[in-house]
Structures are given as structure tokens and as C-alpha cells.
Amino acid sequence: MRASLASSIAVACAAALALPVTLAAPATATARPAAAALPPAQDELPGSTQSLPLRPLGTSVRSYGADPGAAPEQGLARRDVRPFSLVGVVWDDPTAVLRGTVQVRTRSAADDVWSPWQDVETHNAEHGADPGTAEGAAGGLRGSTAPLWVGDSDGVEIRVRAEAAEDGSPHSPERAGRDGAAPPLPAGLRLELVDPGEEPAAAAPGPATRVMAPPAALTAAEAAATSANSQLAPYGAAEIPAALPTAERDENLVVPAQSDAVQAGLAPAGAGQGAAPQAPKQPYIGPRPKIITRSGWGADESIREKGFVYTSTIKAAFVHHSATGNNYTCGQAPSVLRSIYRYHVKSSGWRDFGYNFAVDKCGNIYEGRAGGVTKPVLGAHTLGFNTNSMGIAVLGTFTSTNPPAAVVTAVARLTAWKLGLHGVNPAGNQTLVSGGGNLYAKGRKVSFHAIAGHRDGFATECPGGRLYGKLGTARASSAKYQGRS
């Protein structure tokens, strides 16, 4: 796959002596190991990230010593840690590829039971900013795996194993240093343990009329994020209510150029060519679905970069799965989003949450990257095709699991509305220009379905075969929600 979703974050680093990894253990309660002291908390605010450097494991300890260097197997033995709910692995060079496997085991904070080994998706670079953009060239970027949601946990064990050498022989110190050969694993591997913090306090019911200025209690960053949606909901609102399309036409409709307007039904055929004046047709815009705002899911606006970045328009929607696993409840979805957001920004070095929208397994729709849900916010979701597109992340992993019907319906309703604002037929095709990737060279014009899967623009498994197989249904339903026959 090549999708992230409330307070300041603290990064605490702890280097501890690694013990040999236990290759198998039953998923039962066990006595806690005598581990190194827990990393100290840096502040009392909810939400944090623990960043732990990996060390050589197993035979790598004898061959490579304590320095990870070129060790082909790295990790951490079982240990106590401060509470967390999401894990991932990062490394120094964002262009380096982790060729191997990453597996973690975690201990439930509720009953002290250790989970089985779980795979972490290693191919994540295809989610990110386009090459050559300010975000794509930022100095703080790191390579990263996909994040994995594990729920409330307070113990962890991890192992990272490099693929065998190209000739099938095992890695060795001599091979790693010969002829300038690259190490089998990227340098600077670290385990990131993200605590999403507490749920945001429920906002008191506000007046039915719109608040025309942000409340004094909001920070500047919070005020900016909520102001971007001020035409749709009061400042600080937890959700943007559903609305009929007539509410969109006055303030938010983006009228395409004349040729596009004719194709979209916004102007009569022959307009501008001496044809008799005719009343323009109503635009095809689906009803706006209810959208849970960043305030609603508890985004900490202080950790993202200030300001917003926009593209020219929205011509297509790329659908992703987050690859965070399906072991979450819909009530936990805001926590999943806060965790992905922190992982994208603090661990991976992105400017904000990567996707423009997110959808949970119950079909709830969430605002993603800040800047306004009606606006063409530039995301970091489909490497090479972020310009003039939007990214929708379905929370979960759908490689071998079917997405719930509510997910497909939510994608259809969201795209019927958002693509409709930009005059796009969800059942049609759109042309985008590649910013560079592993399928299409930079500058190449590529035709996509208006609702496309991530794999259409990049060689990746995303959004998983089962979700990808439902996109045809989403296109047809989205067009119907727009009122197209």
C-alpha cells in the first residue's frame, strides 16, 4: 500500500539493553519482566509519544555487537512502558526502504494478556506529499511504516528482520561492508508508541444561529481550523450537520470553466456560441453528509504546521485503507484518528494529518487535514497525485476483510457532495498530471476514475483488494446521490 484521524506532544527516548527475542509465547497473562525504568513523562497533558531506539537481537548481538549499524535483526525485548494505543516504526532517511518484516506484541493494560505477534505494514512511503513540494522536501521527514492500532497497552516487544540477501545467503558484517553495500535495514530505526490522550470534553449546546467570531477560549491555531468551516457550523462545533444541496449552491459551489460547465450540466450546450439564452440547470451536488470536525475528534491544533495549503480544484477522490487493523470500536475511532495524526506529524514529520477525510467502520465521516471541508486542501495521501485530488482513508485493513456496507455508503455520500461542489461526475473519468511515482513518470497525464483506489496511481496494495472491489458500487451510488440517471 502506498492510508492517519489534543494537546502538546512529548517525545521521550529510552535506550535499554535488548535481550534475545522470544519467538513464540501463548497469548495468556504472564508475570511482568524485570524491565528498565519506564521513560519519564515530560508533561501532565494527555497525549504523548514514546520513541525507543531499536537494538540488535538474537545472533545479530554476537555478530554486530550493541551498535545496530548493519544488523539484519533489530528490536526490543518485552518491556514495561507508559500507556499507548498505536505503534509504528520510523527511521532517519525518508527515501530509504525497509525491506523486511516488522512484528510487534503488546500487553493489554486491562488484563495483562500479551497479544500474538502482529504484522506491521512496512510499505508506507506511497502515502505522503508529492516530490518537489515544500512538504515533500521538508527537513524533518522520516521513513515510516504504517501505524497499527493495538488498543490500551502498557507492554511491548518488537522484532524487525531484513530480507535475505539477493543471492539468498544470510547477512554478515563482512557482506555489509563489502563494496560499499548498503546495510540490510535503514539506519536509525525507532519504535513509536502513541498515546492518543483522553476524549475531548463534549461541547455545550450552542445557539441555532451561527457564531460570527471565534470564542476567546480558542487558541489561534484552533480558531484558524474552525474558522475554515465557519460557513457550515458554529466556531468550535463538534460536527457539521447534514444539509440538502441547496445550502451549498450559494456559498461553496466552485463553478468550472465554461467547457467543463457545459459537461457538468451547469450551463446549456452551445452557451457563448449564439444560442438562445436558457436557464442554467441546477448543478449535480449530493446532499452534504454529517461530518465530525477536527474539534469533534480532538485534534491538537498546536502540533501541526500553521497555515493551510490549497490546490486549484478537486477532480478526483483517492480511496485508501489506513492499514491500522480492524481491532477498534466506532467509539474508539476519534482515538484512532488522534493517534494517526500524532504519528503523521510528530513521528513521520508531515505538516498535518495526511488524508482529507476519514471514514470509520460504522460509516461516520471525519474532517481530516485542516483548511476547510469545502475547500481544495492539498493533502499527503497519494504520492504523485495529491494535486487537484482528495484522499479518503477508511479506518481499517481490507486486504482480506470485506468493508461494511456503511463504509461504501459513506464514501458514496461524501464524494457525491464534495466532487459535486467542483462539478465532477463521480461515475466519470478525470485527467491528473503525475508529480512522480513508481507507476507514472513526473509530468505524465493520466486518466482516472473520479473515485479511484490508491493502487490506481501507485504500485501498492492500498486500499486492500476487498475495499477496492467495492469502488464500482461507490461510483454508481455517488452519481445517484447527485441526481444523475
Side-chain angles (χ1 to χ4, degrees), residues 144-196:
S144 61
T145 67
L148 177 67
W149 175 262
V150 295
D152 293 340
S153 305
D154 59 8
V156 69
E157 181 179 7
I158 180 171
R159 61 191 185 195
V160 180
R161 291 172 171 167
E163 292 178 348
E166 291 185 3
D167 61 5
S169 60
H171 293 283
S172 67
E174 294 76 15
R175 175 184 293 276
R178 189 169 58 219
D179 300 324
L185 292 173
L189 289 174
R190 305 184 72 87
L191 173 64
E192 304 288 290
L193 305 175
V194 182
D195 170 22

Side-chain angles (χ1 to χ4, degrees), residues 91-320:
W91 52 92
D92 296 340
D93 182 358
T95 66
V97 178
L98 197 165
R99 303 187 188 280
T101 60
V102 177
Q103 294 181 308
V104 297
R105 302 182 68 222
T106 56
R107 184 182 60 212
S108 169
D111 55 17
D112 283 355
V113 173
W114 283 88
S115 73
W117 285 106
Q118 300 184 75
D119 292 324
V120 178
E121 173 59 63
T122 59
H123 300 290
N124 193 51
E126 63 266 28
H127 299 84
D130 288 348
T133 63
E135 184 175 5
L141 287 179
R142 302 179 187 90
S144 61
T145 67
L148 177 67
W149 175 262
V150 295
D152 293 340
S153 305
D154 59 8
V156 69
E157 181 179 7
I158 180 171
R159 61 191 185 195
V160 180
R161 291 172 171 167
E163 292 178 348
E166 291 185 3
D167 61 5
S169 60
H171 293 283
S172 67
E174 294 76 15
R175 175 184 293 276
R178 189 169 58 219
D179 300 324
L185 292 173
L189 289 174
R190 305 184 72 87
L191 173 64
E192 304 288 290
L193 305 175
V194 182
D195 170 22
E198 300 298 323
E199 296 292 329
T209 56
R210 237 177 239 167
V211 179
M212 300 310 294
L218 296 180
T219 66
E222 290 168 341
T226 192
S227 294
N229 295 316
S230 61
Q231 292 181 324
L232 308 179
Y235 284 94
E239 65 182 47
I240 296 169
L244 295 176
T246 51
E248 311 294 340
R249 291 177 181 144
D250 296 335
E251 299 176 339
N252 300 310
L253 178 63
V254 179
V255 180
Q258 180 173 324
S259 59
D260 294 333
V262 172
Q263 295 176 13
L266 300 178
Q273 301 177 11
Q278 300 180 35
K281 295 180 181 179
Q282 290 292 341
Y284 292 107
I285 304 175
R288 184 179 72 217
K290 183 183 80 171
I291 301 172
I292 299 170
T293 65
R294 290 170 64 91
S295 296
W297 57 263
D300 179 358
E301 301 296 351
S302 70
I303 68 173
R304 64 172 172 82
E305 288 190 21
K306 303 302 181 285
F308 311 126
V309 180
Y310 298 98
T311 184
S312 298
T313 186
I314 300 297
K315 300 175 70 175
F318 286 100
V319 178
H320 306 253

Side-chain angles (χ1 to χ4, degrees), residues 10 28 30 40 43 57 70 90 100 102 122 136 165 176 187 207 212 268 309 319 327 373 388 392 396 473 483:
T28 56
T30 59
D43 58 45
L57 291 175
V90 300
V102 177
T122 59
M212 300 310 294
V309 180
V319 178
N327 188 28
V373 296
N388 294 338
I392 303 170
T473 299

